[in-house]
Amino acid sequence: MNISLPLDQLRSSCRYAAFLTDPHVLQERLVLSGNCSLFSKKRYRNVFSHIRASLSEHGFIKPRPMMKPSKREENLCEETISKVNQIGDPGSGISAQIEKLVFHKRYHEALDFFELLECEGDCQLDSSTYDALITACIGLRSIRGVKRVHNHMVSSGLVLDQYLWNRVLSMHVKCKMMLDARSIFDDMPERNSISWNTMVGGLVDLGDYLEAFRLFFMMWEENSAADPRIFATMIRACSGLEVISLGQQLHCCALKMGEGDNRFISCALIDMYSKCGSIEDAQFVFDNMPEKTTVGWNTIIAGYALHGYSEEALCLYYEMRDAGVKMDHFTFSIIIRVCTRLASLEHAKQAHAGLVRHGFGLDIVANTALVDFYIKWGRIEDARNVFEGMPQKNVISWNALIGGYGNHGRGIEAVELFERMVHEGMMPNHVTFLAVLSACRYSGLSDYGWELFESMSRDYKVKPRAMHYACMIELLGREGLLDEAFVLIRDAPFRPTINMWAALLTACRVHKNFELGKFAAEKLYGMEPEKLSNYVMLLNIYNSSGKQDEAAAVVQTLKRKGLRIKPACTWIEIKKQPHVFLSGDKCHVQTKEIYEKVDDLMLEISKYGYVTGGKTLLPDVDEQEQKSPHYHSEKLAISFGLISTSSSTSLQLVQSHRICNNCHNAIKLIAMITKREIVIRDASRFHRFKNGTCSCGDYW
């Protein structure tokens, strides 16, 4: 084989291989081969010139500047030219260059050099070059590259050994080309444990658990002495299927094979038992691990967090730290999410500090979890600082911050952030639109909300879902357009969902439209007959509209089903310690001081027109709370926070029910007279009280 490669052209290709879409470089590349008639110089130049002239006339593009090669690229180029001169065969020199580029993880350039050789048609490559090209295809997840490399291997008549067979199979699996992978797997003259692990693992990763089990049983019939790693893979399949009995059988097999102490199997078992609902078995496996690895700790912590055992998960995190086990970014991501549930700002700050201290300060997953945490507990500025400090952002990062601004009633900032996201080239998804539309409904940005809703399918090819319709229903309801909201539900292209009817019910509650509210509440009751809150809403609708007989029937239904409204509780964290309050609660050690503070606050805000009591509409409270609105749990928690912190400290609270009208009005005035910022997360949304106003705009 003789390839004529002028050194100036080879140098140009080496320097600018990463920019081969540039017309000048591509033209040089195509001229290298005289027998590539499909891409002849004349044909290519004429077509591209026509397109380029058309675009230039309209001012869409400008000439692309040629980038100056780095010193490293210069060295690689000179080494390649030197090797070509020494060997006398440019094909061999470029093969060596491909391997060197792959070694330096410059996969795009490696595949571009492969295309130079590919144009010759009769170029022979050795196994090491094919191995490097497979690595490049896997690194780029390039389906086109996989097909080109595999076709070249077949057409060249290369005889594959067991290693290359497995590498080709792995290349197809990791690029999710499972039909081709299965064909290659079936054609393999011999399969070893790596072959089975690769094929079965690919099926599990794609969620095809049943087919994975079929292959596993085939393998078991051929050779029962299976590799331990395939057991870990099949245990993951049991997690996906959520079938604990299969996982228990695999656990028994692993023990009989003497692999009970295998760390991969142990971690997979912990995950499987956790996801199948048996946290006790997961803990048993973890306790019996001879060496508790970082993955093992992460898995058991995530298992407890999954089942809502947040305090236990936090305790395990501190055990892990005290044991001196190395933590990774997954550890901190899990703990930050646990802190989000616990409303523990201090613990989250410690996790944030640990994240930076362990060298994961720039990790995109952990930082996105931090953004989400700070947003959910009212620390908007902290969330924005973390977000802006991220060197890379994905769509989840953008969604978290946009949704946070919206939830806190800062709709304009949310819209501005969305427009910046689009401007920077990040493609929004359905969650992004939900976040922006939620921001519009919380802030009353009706015109922009409708414009965005209509542009979803038109401009972004995102089909509106039920959750987006619920936002628009609430947007209409906020403006009092209840009939229009009902029409939108009626004319939706799918069956109305619970959220859609709930949005209409909220609007009816605020605007006191009892008839339509009764209709919406009955719809909700029919869709979720076992959900207590639906009975509560329906009961209060009947009471408010004077339908005493219907209200009595709902009460009888509640008694017959044995359901009762749980007392509302509010908790607040002071100096890393959570404090929980019920309405009329007198269990706290500082009860006397708390009640005195409540009385002082009520007396002070009464000067601004506050009246204790009054009829509330749809309160999520029981009869006892109705009798003592003066000492609702929110007021007790706020009073405790005020006497336990400095005057400059903002208060963050969590409420288990929806805040009642009485407390909502009182807290607005308390925030005004104390000059404090009070953030409450209730069952409905976030409420940010400041200077006598609430971020919800009195609509919740």
Side-chain angles (χ1 to χ4, degrees):
M1 177 183 62
N2 183 23
I3 303 176
S4 177
L5 286 175
L7 292 184
D8 58 337
Q9 291 179 351
L10 181 58
R11 181 180 291 109
S12 177
S13 297
C14 290
R15 289 176 179 174
Y16 305 115
F19 312 105
L20 289 175
T21 53
D22 185 280
H24 304 293
V25 179
L26 186 57
Q27 180 176 325
E28 288 182 350
R29 186 174 122 203
L30 294 173
V31 176
L32 294 178
S33 174
N35 60 353
C36 289
S37 58
L38 180 61
F39 301 105
S40 65
K41 178 179 178 182
K42 181 177 179 181
R43 179 180 179 183
Y44 174 82
R45 182 182 60 202
N46 291 341
V47 172
F48 187 84
S49 299
H50 173 72
I51 297 172
R52 186 179 184 86
S54 175
L55 293 175
S56 298
E57 288 174 1
H58 293 84
F60 292 142
I61 62 170
K62 296 180 180 179
R64 178 182 296 185
M66 298 293 286
M67 296 184 67
K68 183 178 179 180
S70 67
K71 187 173 181 180
R72 184 180 178 188
E73 288 172 329
E74 289 276 10
N75 292 337
L76 281 171
C77 173
E78 296 302 331
E79 288 176 17
T80 301
I81 295 171
S82 174
K83 187 173 289 189
V84 172
N85 290 331
Q86 291 174 7
I87 298 175
D89 184 355
S92 301
I94 294 181
S95 295
Q97 181 68 0
I98 288 172
E99 295 176 29
K100 179 171 287 189
L101 288 168
V102 171
F103 178 79
H104 290 286
K105 298 185 179 180
R106 296 166 62 177
Y107 302 138
H108 283 289
E109 296 168 73
L111 289 179
D112 286 327
F113 271 103
F114 170 62
E115 193 166 348
L116 291 177
L117 296 179
E118 197 177 20
C119 287
E120 283 300 309
D122 58 347
C123 178
Q124 297 293 323
L125 302 178
D126 57 22
S127 298
S128 62
T129 306
Y130 281 123
D131 191 24
L133 288 168
I134 288 171
T135 300
C137 292
I138 293 173
L140 296 174
R141 298 294 191 268
S142 171
I143 294 177
R144 179 174 177 269
V146 171
K147 291 180 178 179
R148 284 170 47 208
V149 172
H150 188 218
N151 289 340
H152 197 277
M153 294 173 74
V154 173
S155 62
S156 67
L158 179 71
V159 178
L160 278 66
D161 58 14
Q162 184 69 62
Y163 172 78
L164 265 185
W165 270 112
N166 287 335
R167 288 284 286 159
V168 171
L169 178 64
S170 176
M171 174 176 67
H172 284 80
V173 167
K174 290 183 178 178
C175 292
K176 296 182 172 55
M177 301 169 64
M178 295 307 296
L179 292 177
D180 293 331
R182 184 58 187 267
S183 177
I184 291 168
F185 180 79
D186 292 338
D187 291 341
M188 292 177 71
E190 185 179 351
R191 307 184 191 103
N192 59 13
S193 61
I194 297 174
S195 314
W196 287 102
N197 287 342
T198 301
M199 191 66 212
V200 173
L203 291 168
V204 173
D205 289 339
L206 288 178
D208 195 350
Y209 306 122
L210 295 179
E211 185 62 26
F213 267 104
R214 291 191 189 97
L215 269 184
F216 174 73
F217 293 138
M218 284 175 54
M219 181 212 68
W220 191 261
E221 289 177 0
E222 288 187 14
N223 181 16
S224 59
D227 186 88
R229 285 172 294 184
I230 202 166
F231 273 92
T233 302
M234 296 315 301
I235 291 168
R236 284 200 296 120
C238 297
S239 301
L241 291 170
E242 296 185 1
V243 179
I244 195 171
S245 58
L246 277 175
Q248 290 170 332
Q249 292 180 51
L250 289 170
H251 190 180
C252 291
C253 289
L255 291 172
K256 290 178 180 178
M257 293 173 62
E259 297 293 342
D261 293 339
N262 184 285
R263 60 180 180 175
F264 298 107
I265 292 178
S266 294
C267 292
L269 283 169
I270 295 168
D271 180 67
M272 184 273 296
Y273 282 126
S274 298
K275 290 179 178 176
C276 292
S278 181
I279 194 66
E280 296 83 5
D281 290 333
Q283 183 68 56
F284 177 80
V285 174
F286 177 75
D287 290 338
N288 285 278
M289 288 181 71
E291 180 185 357
K292 295 176 175 59
T293 62
T294 300
V295 177
W297 281 99
N298 288 349
T299 308
I300 190 66
I301 292 171
Y304 275 100
L306 177 68
H307 290 281
Y309 300 120
S310 301
E311 292 85 356
E312 290 81 355
L314 194 60
C315 290
L316 280 170
Y317 163 71
Y318 286 118
E319 282 184 34
M320 179 183 181
R321 184 195 64 183
D322 295 340
V325 180
K326 183 180 179 181
M327 299 181 180
D328 59 16
H329 62 288
F330 289 111
T331 312
F332 294 107
S333 299
I334 296 166
I335 291 306
I336 290 167
R337 289 186 173 91
V338 167
C339 293
T340 303
R341 287 186 185 175
L342 291 174
S344 178
L345 182 61
E346 292 302 320
H347 288 297
K349 285 182 176 179
Q350 290 184 12
H352 190 177
L355 182 73
V356 175
R357 189 169 59 251
H358 285 77
F360 302 112
L362 302 180
D363 181 75
I364 191 169
V365 176
N367 275 291
T368 299
L370 268 175
V371 171
D372 181 62
F373 171 81
Y374 284 128
I375 282 291
K376 285 182 176 176
W377 301 113
R379 314 280 292 202
I380 303 288
E381 287 70 26
D382 289 336
R384 186 62 180 259
N385 289 337
V386 173
F387 178 82
E388 296 296 352
M390 295 171 65
Q392 290 183 324
K393 306 173 182 69
N394 59 17
V395 68
I396 302 173
S397 313
W398 287 96
N399 291 348
L401 192 60
I402 292 171
Y405 275 115
N407 287 336
H408 287 279
R410 298 169 65 171
I412 294 176
E413 289 99 324
V415 167
E416 290 174 349
L417 197 63
F418 169 74
E419 292 178 347
R420 174 185 157 191
M421 171 188 179
V422 174
H423 179 73
E424 292 186 10
M426 182 66 67
M427 183 60 67
N429 60 15
H430 71 279
V431 179
T432 313
F433 287 105
L434 177 63
V436 184
L437 290 174
S438 296
C440 292
R441 69 173 175 172
Y442 288 146
S443 301
L445 302 176
S446 178
D447 292 340
Y448 187 89
W450 277 107
E451 181 183 337
L452 187 68
F453 182 74
E454 292 171 354
S455 72
M456 285 177 62
S457 55
R458 184 188 67 230
D459 300 335
Y460 299 97
K461 311 305 178 188
V462 177
K463 187 178 180 180
R465 306 185 184 186
M467 60 185 76
H468 304 111
Y469 272 81
C471 288
M472 303 315 297
I473 292 163
E474 187 166 329
L475 199 59
L476 289 168
R478 193 181 189 100
E479 297 183 344
L481 303 174
L482 302 183
D483 291 337
E484 289 82 350
F486 177 71
V487 169
L488 187 60
I489 293 177
R490 186 192 63 193
D491 296 342
F494 40 75
R495 184 179 179 182
T497 63
I498 293 168
N499 288 339
M500 293 167 68
W501 287 115
L504 180 62
L505 179 58
T506 300
C508 294
R509 173 177 63 85
V510 173
H511 296 288
K512 298 181 173 58
N513 187 324
F514 299 125
E515 286 302 317
L516 189 55
K518 172 178 172 291
F519 180 78
E522 288 173 343
K523 286 288 185 181
L524 281 171
Y525 169 73
M527 296 172 78
E528 291 183 313
E530 299 302 321
K531 190 171 182 180
L532 178 62
S533 61
N534 292 334
Y535 291 93
V536 175
M537 288 187 285
L538 188 59
L539 172 63
N540 285 278
I541 280 284
Y542 286 144
N543 283 332
S544 300
S545 57
K547 306 282 186 179
Q548 298 304 318
D549 292 340
E550 289 85 346
V554 174
V555 171
Q556 289 301 316
T557 303
L558 284 170
K559 290 180 179 179
R560 186 175 68 254
K561 290 180 174 286
L563 301 173
R564 66 179 299 271
I565 302 171
K566 295 180 180 180
C569 67
T570 304
W571 61 94
I572 182 172
E573 185 182 64
I574 303 293
K575 297 177 181 178
K576 300 184 185 179
Q577 292 298 319
H579 299 265
V580 181
F581 294 89
L582 300 173
S583 294
D585 197 342
K586 294 185 178 180
C587 298
H588 199 277
V589 293
Q590 292 180 259
T591 294
K592 182 180 178 182
E593 296 92 326
I594 293 170
Y595 273 69
E596 288 176 354
K597 186 63 176 179
V598 172
D599 292 337
D600 291 342
L601 290 172
M602 295 302 104
L603 180 62
E604 189 67 25
I605 63 176
S606 65
K607 299 175 184 178
Y608 294 88
Y610 172 75
V611 178
T612 303
K615 187 176 181 179
T616 58
L617 186 61
L618 290 181
D620 290 347
V621 297
D622 59 13
E623 293 181 5
Q624 180 63 33
E625 291 176 86
Q626 284 278 57
K627 295 176 182 178
S628 58
H630 204 60
Y631 301 110
H632 275 185
S633 59
E634 304 96 309
K635 295 172 182 172
L636 296 177
I638 290 171
S639 297
F640 174 67
L642 291 173
I643 64 177
S644 303
T645 59
S646 64
S647 59
S648 61
T649 304
S650 61
L651 304 180
Q652 277 90 30
L653 298 86
V654 181
Q655 226 277 11
S656 62
H657 290 47
R658 184 194 297 121
I659 242 180
C660 69
N661 290 341
N662 185 281
C663 286
H664 194 271
N665 292 332
I667 297 170
K668 286 194 294 184
L669 294 172
I670 291 172
M672 181 183 71
I673 64 173
T674 60
K675 295 181 171 55
R676 297 279 196 113
E677 184 176 78
I678 303 172
V679 179
I680 300 180
R681 182 184 181 185
D682 73 355
S684 173
R685 56 163 295 164
F686 285 92
H687 300 266
R688 194 183 193 93
F689 298 93
K690 188 175 182 180
N691 298 327
T693 62
C694 179
S695 60
C696 73
D698 298 334
Y699 187 96
W700 77 100

